[in-house]
Structure formats: structure tokens, C-alpha cells
């Protein structure tokens, strides 16, 4: 718990606040609002032990961990949101795994399209060869049975590609 007892903070001759007493218990969520220059940043600097109070007492249990984000981020090329999110290593690892999975999906599409084109090309040449060799007798056989056989062959090729992808 954070305890403030008759606290006063000045900046130069200006009194930001004085005789302030309050307690923030562990687990509480507290918002601090106020106009520019009223002492919000100075209060946080006191909590972070960057400044000392001019009067009164402030106590913080020794095992307390304070997480904070600076009012201004360092001058870096990444955005403020990326600067904050980079602090969450698990999130960034998960995002990297998702990007890798998306890339695998994008790369598997051309392989599937190539397999489809090859299957259609092979089908065309086989049908042309059978018609050239056997003529009209082969036409009825092709119309009745060959479509089903090629559909099964294409399905096996696709299943083979999917199996290779996930193995």
C-alpha cells in the first residue's frame, strides 16, 4: 500500500500541493487527473523515488513493484504503441508465429495451383493420346469413366501435398 501523510511538493517557489494525506491499497486502480502543471508528474516522480517531498511522509512497502510508462518515449523510429508492445515478449513471439503461419499458407497456394495445372495438363494429353490411338471407340469410355478416374487422381495429389505440408 502507498501511504501519503501531510505531503507537500514544490517546484521552485510554486506549491503544487501541501498537507495531502491519502492511502492507496494493494490492488486498487487509481486515476490521476488535473490541469497541466498541477503536480501529476511530480507525484509519480515521488512514487518512483526520483524526487523527495518538501514536507510530509511517503511510504512504500519494500517488495512493491511499480510498472510505469514514461510520459515521453525515447527518440526512436518505432511508434509509441510498438514501443509499449515490445515490452510484452510473449505477445511478440505469438505475433511472429502467426506471421510465419500466414506466410506458409501464402506459399502453399502456388504449390496447389501448380498441382492443379499439372493435373489438368496431364489429363488433356492422356485424353488426346487415347482419342488419337483408339478413335471413336474410346470416346464413350472417356465420357463414362475417365472423368471419375482423373478426379480421384487429382484428389490423391492434393492429399499428398497437404500431407507433405503438415508433416
Amino acid at each position: 500500500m502507498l501511504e501519503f501523510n501531510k505531503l507537500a511538493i514544490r517546484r521552485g517557489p510554486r506549491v503544487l500541493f501541501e498537507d495531502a494525506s491519502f492511502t492507496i491499497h494493494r490492488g486498487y486502480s487509481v486515476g490521476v487527473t488535473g490541469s497541466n502543471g498541477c503536480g501529476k508528474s511530480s507525484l509519480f516522480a515521488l512514487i518512483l523515488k526520483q524526487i523527495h517531498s518538501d514536507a510530509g511522509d511517503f511510504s512504500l512497502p519494500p517488495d512493491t513493484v511499480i510498472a510505469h510508462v514514461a510520459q515521453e518515449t525515447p527518440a526512436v523510429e518505432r511508434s509509441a504503441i510498438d514501443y509499449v508492445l515490445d515490452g510484452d515478449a510473449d505477445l511478440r513471439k505469438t505475433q511472429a508465429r502467426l506471421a510465419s503461419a500466414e506466410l506458409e499458407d501464402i506459399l502453399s497456394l502456388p504449390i496447389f495451383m501448380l498441382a492443379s495445372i499439372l493435373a489438368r495438363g496431364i489429363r488433356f494429353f492422356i485424353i488426346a493420346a487415347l482419342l488419337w490411338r483408339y478413335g471413336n471407340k474410346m470416346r464413350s469410355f472417356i465420357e463414362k469413366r475417365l472423368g471419375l478416374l482423373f478426379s480421384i487422381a487429382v484428389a490423391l495429389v492434393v492429399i499428398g501435398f497437404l500431407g507433405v505440408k503438415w508433416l
Side-chain angles (χ1 to χ4, degrees), residues 126-145:
I126 289 175
I127 291 172
L130 289 173
L131 286 174
W132 178 77
R133 174 72 174 99
Y134 296 106
N136 283 335
K137 291 187 266 181
M138 186 54 65
R139 178 174 292 176
S140 65
F141 173 78
I142 291 171
E143 289 173 352
K144 291 180 184 176
R145 294 182 182 89

Side-chain angles (χ1 to χ4, degrees), residues 53-163:
S53 64
D54 293 308
D57 297 315
F58 164 67
S59 65
L60 175 74
D63 63 337
T64 302
V65 176
I66 304 287
H68 74 286
V69 176
Q71 191 167 355
E72 293 184 25
T73 59
V76 293
E77 296 203 11
R78 58 189 165 171
S79 67
I81 189 71
D82 284 335
Y83 181 79
V84 172
L85 292 177
D86 285 347
D88 188 345
D90 290 337
L91 171 68
R92 289 306 195 190
K93 286 178 189 174
T94 302
Q95 288 176 330
R97 285 194 304 257
L98 285 172
S100 175
E102 289 171 357
L103 181 61
E104 286 179 16
D105 285 346
I106 290 170
L107 294 177
S108 67
L109 180 62
I111 293 171
F112 177 76
M113 290 173 60
L114 179 62
S116 176
I117 291 168
L118 288 175
R120 289 178 185 188
I122 292 170
R123 179 179 177 187
F124 170 78
F125 285 112
I126 289 175
I127 291 172
L130 289 173
L131 286 174
W132 178 77
R133 174 72 174 99
Y134 296 106
N136 283 335
K137 291 187 266 181
M138 186 54 65
R139 178 174 292 176
S140 65
F141 173 78
I142 291 171
E143 289 173 352
K144 291 180 184 176
R145 294 182 182 89
L146 201 57
L148 176 63
L149 293 175
F150 275 107
S151 296
I152 292 170
V154 169
L156 291 174
V157 168
V158 169
I159 290 170
F161 275 109
L162 293 175

Side-chain angles (χ1 to χ4, degrees), residues 4-9 19-21 46 52-58:
F4 302 85
N5 187 22
K6 297 188 181 208
L7 194 66
I9 295 181
D19 203 29
S21 297
L46 174 73
H52 298 285
S53 64
D54 293 308
D57 297 315
F58 164 67

